[in-house]
Amino acid sequence: MRVKEPNSWTQIREELLRRINERVWQPGEIIPGEADLAEEFGCARTTVNRALRDLAETGLVIRKRKAGTRVAINPPHKATLTIPVIREEVEARGAAHRHVVTLREIRPLPPHLHAAFPVPPGADALYTETLHYADDRPFLFEERYTNLEAVPEIAIAPMDKISLNEWLVQNAPYTTGDMAFFAISADAGLARFFECPVGTALYVVERITWNGDLPITHVRMTYAPGYRMRTRI
Amino acid sequence: MRVKEPNSWTQIREELLRRINERVWQPGEIIPGEADLAEEFGCARTTVNRALRDLAETGLVIRKRKAGTRVAINPPHKATLTIPVIREEVEARGAAHRHVVTLREIRPLPPHLHAAFPVPPGADALYTETLHYADDRPFLFEERYTNLEAVPEIAIAPMDKISLNEWLVQNAPYTTGDMAFFAISADAGLARFFECPVGTALYVVERITWNGDLPITHVRMTYAPGYRMRTRI
DNA sequence: TAGTGGTCTAGACCACCGC
DNA sequence: CGGTGGTCTAGACCACTAG
């Protein structure tokens, strides 16, 4: 049962989508220009542009000036992951969030992070380990290095009421970042926290954020066994 | 007074971004309406709208009709994962891609998939197992159920030159999908393929795609030990 | 119900780039 | 060079929703 589209540019997008999916326009083929489509649909060129721009963002068509718009040959799957503050993620599951800071000290950045997280030589970082619980069940283990030069106020940040995770989101804006997703085996420490056997496969998210050229923080978040990160595409 | 810089929506976005990052506008605070900003920047309201729409897409501001635009309190981290065809992912790493179909048979859908992948009762699915190699090193293990009712032509699809992965991308359009990312321990079969110990932590991506209400395919892709999925935010 | 964002139009100029 | 998409404008009407 089709729902009537509320506005024009989404309707046009759906019609273009239909022509692509039903091979009216073959993969790799050039499609009519914006002006032609605008005339066909009886709307302004801006409206067609909006629809085509949306399709280009999802990778379904490739647009180039002068060359025109082509249907992508191998349209990539694009998934947008929204990674909220840990507290909100826990509460979204209907659980109560609680966190405990188990370690908080100034220490030099470990060598294996120097390449990805180039703080000035000799500079120290704030290292923190935080346990996050959902309804008193272990949920996530967070290891974080924060560049004191970039966020000096962090030395006096309260970490009992609000987690460092949330404090940084609110107080340390970033411009770019790198994320990595992978799997590790639980070592003794993780096994103890998650109450699982050593060697259990765990899902890990690593994130490095920057404010311009200034590295802000490097965080590794290890989720409880069985965790699945989900998204809709 | 002549302004050298032409008004551009990206410039306006950067200025709005600056005001948010420098706390000119506090988190949670309402910011001026589009009309006011347009007057301030000396541009059309449409241009301000474009900039604000972009900020809203990244989650940095929350927009509501009548209520206005507010700075987000806990701006979520959003990461866009681009998941290309496996062959292209391997080749992007400078390696040669090769795949082997080790199993291809019609079988009923296993019970544990019925909830997430509701093919009609009694209907069969095409089950395939494919090994993907990068320069002859094992790269990925793919287990796939494909709904024969949705993609009947798949029964005669060639699977030697082009992998089922790529064939489906090119021939079976989808409208929506669900993805999940998690970690598992290698069982005996995976350990043999990846030449790693049983129990090694492996990164897994699962994807279910739909064309409207019609389920297309359910695929589980298990990556080689040490694999990291990366993205820039 | 009034105010705000969402969208559309008709026209214009510009940037890019294949030819 | 000329064609195409990218952007901007000034104005208009509409959709949603807080108060």
Side-chain angles (χ1 to χ4, degrees):
Chain A
M1 191 79 67
R2 283 200 47 79
V3 179
K4 189 181 153 218
E5 294 287 349
N7 48 19
S8 174
W9 75 267
T10 49
Q11 283 176 28
I12 292 174
R13 183 191 56 190
E14 295 314 308
E15 170 61 15
L16 300 176
L17 202 52
R18 189 190 63 78
R19 295 186 188 181
I20 292 171
N21 284 343
E22 297 182 2
R23 295 286 189 277
V24 178
W25 295 325
Q26 300 286 324
E29 187 182 342
I30 196 167
I31 74 175
E34 295 186 349
D36 294 335
L37 290 171
E39 187 181 1
E40 177 193 340
F41 292 124
C43 68
R45 184 170 77 93
T46 317
T47 308
V48 173
N49 179 279
R50 183 89 157 86
L52 280 171
R53 196 151 37 79
D54 198 70
L55 291 178
E57 276 172 11
T58 69
L60 220 57
V61 300
I62 314 286
R63 318 198 72 195
K64 276 187 200 157
R65 286 168 153 124
K66 165 69 178 179
T69 301
R70 290 180 180 280
V71 180
I73 302 207
N74 276 330
H77 295 256
K78 286 197 180 180
T80 301
L81 288 176
T82 301
I83 297 135
V85 161
I86 296 165
R87 178 179 60 78
E88 292 183 352
E89 181 173 11
V90 169
E91 290 172 352
R93 296 166 168 239
H97 173 259
R98 180 170 65 84
H99 74 277
V100 179
V101 179
T102 55
L103 188 55
R104 173 183 187 156
E105 63 179 28
I106 310 291
R107 58 159 77 166
L109 202 71
H112 71 277
L113 288 185
H114 268 110
F117 194 65
V119 296
D124 285 329
L126 175 68
Y127 177 71
T128 51
E129 287 186 0
T130 308
L131 310 178
H132 292 261
Y133 295 88
D135 277 347
D136 292 325
R137 294 187 315 278
F139 178 76
L140 183 149
F141 177 63
E142 174 189 320
E143 304 164 86
R144 183 185 293 272
Y145 289 89
T146 306
N147 184 3
L148 284 168
E149 201 164 311
V151 199
E153 323 86 45
I154 203 169
I156 56 169
M159 289 176 61
D160 48 341
K161 292 295 184 189
I162 182 175
S163 78
L164 191 47
N165 172 266
E166 198 160 345
W167 190 92
L168 281 168
V169 166
Q170 294 177 1
N171 296 282
Y174 66 93
T175 54
T176 59
D178 291 292
M179 296 193 69
F181 310 85
F182 52 98
I184 62 167
S185 291
D187 60 19
L190 288 167
R192 198 176 320 118
F193 172 52
F194 287 122
E195 299 164 8
C196 69
V198 170
T200 301
L202 301 173
Y203 183 71
V204 180
V205 176
E206 269 191 13
R207 183 172 57 226
I208 304 173
T209 52
W210 313 71
N211 195 340
D213 292 334
L214 198 62
I216 303 289
T217 190
H218 176 291
V219 61
R220 168 186 277 215
M221 293 174 288
T222 306
Y223 286 82
Y227 176 84
R228 286 174 164 234
M229 180 164 276
R230 300 164 185 278
T231 188
R232 176 165 290 262
I233 54 179
Chain B
M1 187 57 95
R2 178 146 322 248
V3 181
K4 284 190 289 188
E5 303 272 353
N7 273 330
S8 136
W9 71 269
T10 51
Q11 286 176 21
I12 292 175
R13 182 191 56 191
E14 294 315 307
E15 169 62 14
L16 299 176
L17 202 51
R18 189 190 64 77
R19 296 186 188 181
I20 292 170
N21 284 343
E22 298 184 0
R23 295 284 190 278
V24 178
W25 294 325
Q26 301 286 326
E29 186 181 341
I30 195 167
I31 75 175
E34 294 186 349
D36 294 335
L37 291 171
E39 187 180 3
E40 176 192 340
F41 291 123
C43 68
R45 183 168 78 92
T46 316
T47 307
V48 173
N49 180 279
R50 183 90 158 85
L52 280 171
R53 197 152 36 81
D54 198 71
L55 291 177
E57 275 171 12
T58 68
L60 221 57
V61 300
I62 314 287
R63 316 199 71 195
K64 276 188 200 156
R65 287 168 154 124
K66 166 71 176 180
T69 301
R70 290 180 180 277
V71 180
I73 300 201
N74 279 329
H77 296 257
K78 286 198 178 179
T80 301
L81 290 175
T82 301
I83 297 131
V85 161
I86 297 166
R87 178 179 60 76
E88 292 183 351
E89 180 173 12
V90 169
E91 291 172 351
R93 295 165 169 240
H97 173 259
R98 180 170 66 85
H99 75 277
V100 180
V101 179
T102 55
L103 188 55
R104 174 183 185 156
E105 64 180 29
I106 310 290
R107 58 159 77 167
L109 202 71
H112 71 276
L113 287 185
H114 268 110
F117 194 65
V119 296
D124 285 329
L126 174 67
Y127 177 72
T128 51
E129 287 186 1
T130 309
L131 311 178
H132 293 261
Y133 295 87
D135 277 346
D136 292 324
R137 293 187 316 277
F139 179 75
L140 184 148
F141 178 64
E142 173 190 320
E143 304 164 87
R144 183 185 293 271
Y145 289 89
T146 306
N147 183 4
L148 284 169
E149 201 164 311
V151 199
E153 323 86 42
I154 204 169
I156 56 168
M159 288 176 62
D160 47 341
K161 292 293 184 189
I162 183 175
S163 77
L164 190 48
N165 172 266
E166 198 160 346
W167 190 91
L168 281 168
V169 166
Q170 295 176 0
N171 296 282
Y174 65 93
T175 54
T176 59
D178 291 292
M179 296 192 69
F181 310 85
F182 53 98
I184 63 166
S185 291
D187 60 18
L190 288 167
R192 199 177 321 116
F193 171 53
F194 288 121
E195 300 163 7
C196 69
V198 169
T200 301
L202 301 174
Y203 183 72
V204 180
V205 175
E206 269 191 13
R207 182 171 58 226
I208 304 174
T209 52
W210 312 72
N211 195 341
D213 292 335
L214 197 62
I216 303 289
T217 190
H218 177 291
V219 60
R220 169 187 277 215
M221 294 174 287
T222 306
Y223 286 83
Y227 176 83
R228 286 175 163 232
M229 180 165 274
R230 302 165 184 278
T231 188
R232 177 165 290 262
I233 55 177

